DNA sequence: CGTTTTTGACCGGCGC
DNA sequence: GCGCCGGTCAAAAACG
């Protein structure tokens, strides 16, 4: 019996400017696109007084031409990059440009698979592309019939030939430190590595993982660096977990991480496997029922106390914070 | 000492 | 039938 080819398309998580957002994306696992509400807890950057804001505004006006040109060049560069990505997506998906609302930056990058060099590899890739196209057709049909496919963009349903068994295949990618040689992708599940192989398409090895949480769980995961960008890990999931995510059970939709830009609270707003989008505090009465429910949960005393607990825990475990606290206490102590 | 990772061998599908 | 290739197995090594 022929195994279904693991053709995966990839969600580009974008530049990893907020590690907390990326973590949240990975906690989402297969088929989930969490939306993060990042609340910055600035330790050293407390909100400036109003008059200071005005001063800063004046300073901004006084920005030199050189600085303005640098910024303009950066904006142009990013725009150009976005345009190129959009073109590639259009080519791949027959003009169906990635829609927003995927959670992260909401864009899908083209597969990072390199062009096959040999005729054999070309044919194989053609087969895989055909399957991807079938998936896109299915997606487009679903949209025509009124369904939303946004959350499903991270899933690729492949029908096994000659049987009715359907194996869910999805791909995600994550930007990592290029010097990081481990092929470990944290997604909330426990994985056991059972093999590693160097494939023809890609000089970097591909690691094979099985779900280690439940022995009967059929899910497999392949992780490999992108051939085009070694700082991107491409993970391909095959199958569906037959158990809840171990790190999610009984968990509040909130986590805290401390990164270079300061402590960040990340709120995962996922309901029934679909992501809901929150733009800062604009979750108003016009929000969908799911969102209202999430907002109610956020406003509940239980959530708040848990949040405070998590914040305290994150802050006290941050050496920068404890160092700053110690320094502040020392300053308050009288000199003897 | 139990668990996890590594790695070479093996297997099956596919194309020539 | 042969060779290539991706995926899996399983013994050995590493790790906590």
């Amino acid at each position: 019996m022929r195994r279904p080819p693991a053709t995966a398309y990839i969600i580009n998580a974008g530049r990893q400017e907020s590690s907390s957002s990326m973590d949240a994306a990975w906690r989402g696992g297969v088929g989930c696109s969490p939306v993060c509400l990042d609340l910055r807890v600035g330790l050293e950057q407390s909100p400036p007084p109003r008059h200071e804001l005005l001063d800063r505004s004046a300073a901004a006006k006084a920005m030199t031409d050189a600085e303005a040109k640098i910024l303009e060049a950066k904006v142009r560069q990013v725009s150009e990059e976005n345009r190129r990505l959009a073109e590639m997506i259009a080519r791949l998906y027959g003009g169906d440009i990635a829609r927003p609302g995927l959670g992260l930056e909401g864009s899908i990058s083209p597969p990072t698979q390199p062009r096959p060099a040999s005729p054999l590899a070309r044919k194989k890739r053609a087969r895989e592309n055909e399957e991807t196209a079938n998936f896109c057709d299915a997606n487009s049909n679903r949209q025509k019939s009124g369904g939303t496919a946004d959350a499903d963009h991270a899933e690729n349903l492949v029908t096994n030939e000659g049987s009715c068994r359907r194996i869910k295949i999805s791909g995600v990618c994550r930007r990592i430190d290029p010097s990081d040689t481990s092929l470990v992708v944290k997604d909330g599940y426990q994985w056991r590595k059972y093999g590693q192989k160097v494939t023809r398409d890609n000089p970097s090895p591909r690691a094979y993982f099985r779900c280690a949480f439940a022995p009967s769980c059929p899910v497999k995961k392949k992780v490999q660096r992108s051939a085009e960008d070694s700082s991107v890990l491409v993970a391909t999931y095959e199958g569906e977990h037959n158990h809840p995510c171990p790190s999610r059970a009984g968990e509040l939709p909130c986590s805290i991480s401390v990164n270079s830009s300061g402590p960040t609270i990340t709120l995962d707003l996922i309901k029934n496997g679909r992501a809901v989008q929150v733009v800062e505090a604009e979750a108003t009465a016009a929000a969908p029922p799911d969102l209202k429910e999430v907002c109610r949960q956020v406003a509940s005393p239980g959530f708040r106390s848990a949040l405070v607990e998590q914040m305290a825990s994150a802050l006290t475990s941050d050496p920068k914070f404890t160092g700053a606290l110690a320094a502040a206490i020392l300053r308050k102590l009288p000199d003897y």
Side-chain angles (χ1 to χ4, degrees), chain A residues 9 35 41 76 85 92 101 110 115 142 151 167 170 178 184 211 219 226 254 256 258 269 283 288 331:
Chain A
Y9 64 94
V35 175
V41 186
R76 259 202 300 273
L85 283 170
L92 274 163
R115 297 244 174 273
R142 192 165 28 187
I167 298 175
S170 65
V184 176
C211 182
V219 179
S226 165
C254 174
I256 294 182
V258 181
L269 299 175
R331 276 199 299 274

Side-chain angles (χ1 to χ4, degrees), chain A residues 322-334:
Chain A
T322 49
L325 185 62
I329 292 169
L330 272 177
R331 276 199 299 274
K332 293 289 177 190
L333 288 175

Side-chain angles (χ1 to χ4, degrees), chain A residues 112-115 125 183 197-206 223-230 232-234:
Chain A
T112 52
Q113 295 159 332
R115 297 244 174 273
R125 188 58 39 79
L183 291 168
K197 191 99 176 169
V198 176
T199 57
R200 207 161 168 264
D201 288 347
N202 195 330
S204 58
R206 174 184 295 170
V223 180
Q224 187 174 32
R225 283 173 184 272
S226 165
E228 289 177 357
D229 187 349
S230 63
V232 173
L233 273 185
V234 179

Side-chain angles (χ1 to χ4, degrees), chain A residues 286-302:
Chain A
D290 283 355
L291 184 53
K292 282 184 194 169
E293 174 55 37
V294 171
C295 291
R296 252 197 305 277
Q297 196 179 349
V298 169
S300 70

Side-chain angles (χ1 to χ4, degrees), chain A residues 20-222:
Chain A
S20 58
S21 297
M22 293 299 296
D23 288 344
W26 279 91
R27 279 194 311 278
V30 178
C32 301
S33 299
V35 175
C36 301
L37 175 61
D38 286 343
L39 309 172
R40 305 272 168 196
V41 186
L43 293 175
E44 293 157 11
Q45 305 127 332
S46 54
R50 195 172 174 78
H51 64 85
E52 206 176 317
L53 282 173
L54 291 173
D55 289 349
R56 285 187 190 176
S57 166
K61 278 180 190 166
M63 181 193 287
T64 64
D65 285 353
E67 284 171 323
K69 277 178 185 167
I70 289 169
L71 280 175
E72 204 179 316
K74 279 184 182 172
V75 169
R76 259 202 300 273
Q77 194 183 340
V78 171
S79 301
E80 177 64 18
E81 197 175 341
N82 280 339
R83 191 186 59 77
R84 271 189 290 114
L85 283 170
E87 279 176 8
M88 291 166 86
I89 292 162
R91 274 202 301 275
L92 274 163
Y93 297 105
D96 183 16
I97 303 292
R99 292 169 296 278
L102 280 175
L104 307 162
E105 270 64 51
S107 64
I108 296 178
S109 81
T112 52
Q113 295 159 332
R115 297 244 174 273
S118 68
L120 183 72
R122 256 201 306 275
K123 282 185 184 175
K124 191 177 178 195
R125 188 58 39 79
R127 258 203 328 270
E128 289 173 355
N129 285 343
E130 197 179 331
E131 277 156 2
T132 306
N134 289 341
F135 161 69
C136 291
D137 287 349
N139 238 2
S140 120
N141 289 339
R142 192 165 28 187
Q143 277 186 286
K144 279 175 195 164
S145 65
T148 55
D150 287 353
D152 295 338
H153 246 105
E155 298 174 4
N156 189 358
L157 295 172
V158 177
T159 305
N160 198 5
E161 285 173 24
S163 79
C164 294
R165 196 163 62 95
R166 301 184 86 199
I167 298 175
K168 188 193 279 181
I169 294 174
S170 65
V172 291
C173 73
R174 182 183 197 181
R175 193 166 288 275
I176 56 153
D177 184 349
S179 61
D180 184 5
T181 55
S182 66
L183 291 168
V184 176
V185 168
K186 287 174 190 164
D187 53 12
Y189 289 94
Q190 292 176 312
W191 299 96
R192 180 188 172 84
K193 191 177 180 180
Y194 67 90
Q196 184 166 315
K197 191 99 176 169
V198 176
T199 57
R200 207 161 168 264
D201 288 347
N202 195 330
S204 58
R206 174 184 295 170
Y208 299 89
F209 297 90
R210 276 200 191 94
C211 182
F213 184 71
S216 60
C217 183
V219 179
K220 288 174 192 167
K221 177 170 84 167
K222 289 180 280 190

